[in-house]
Amino acid sequence: MHWTILIKSHPDASGNPVLQGLRMAAAALADGILVSLFLSEEAASLALHLENPGDRQRVHHDLLAEIQELGAEIYVIGLDWMHAVGSLTLIPGVKVASMKTLVRQMRLSDQVVAL
């Protein structure tokens, strides 16, 4: 079984959909489900490496690291704004993808979850 999880909510959004999506991805992986995780729109900033992350960002980054360790592919879409943020880099292991990659992956998946 394979899931595609698309997270596009702001990391500080009410109800904490980003945290719920990351926790869902980790739980699915731990249960033997293959996961492809895509970060887009307002969640794309989660893919950036931060020198001094706040508490919430640290939790998100720890979950992303756990998700990678469990074998998921993590992609970020829509980094056309990245030139404006200067010298920031992506978290190691996060891949830049296009909408074409996302659509292809969604078509191959048994389950698609968008948050």
Side-chain angles (χ1 to χ4, degrees), residues 8-84:
K8 55 186 181 172
S9 298
H10 191 281
D12 295 325
S14 175
N16 224 341
V18 169
L19 179 63
Q20 300 309 322
L22 295 174
R23 290 177 62 212
M24 180 188 308
L29 287 158
D31 203 30
I33 298 170
L34 298 174
V35 173
S36 295
L37 179 67
F38 287 81
L39 306 171
S40 73
E41 296 180 23
E42 296 184 65
S45 64
L46 292 170
L48 295 175
H49 173 73
L50 302 173
E51 289 298 323
N52 298 309
D55 290 339
R56 183 176 282 210
Q57 291 141 337
R58 191 173 300 112
V59 168
H60 291 157
H61 283 190
D62 288 348
L63 279 167
L64 286 169
E66 179 181 345
I67 289 166
Q68 283 181 321
E69 287 175 17
L70 289 168
E73 295 283 332
I74 300 176
Y75 302 92
V76 62
I77 299 172
L79 288 179
D80 43 326
W81 50 267
M82 207 169 155
H83 68 279

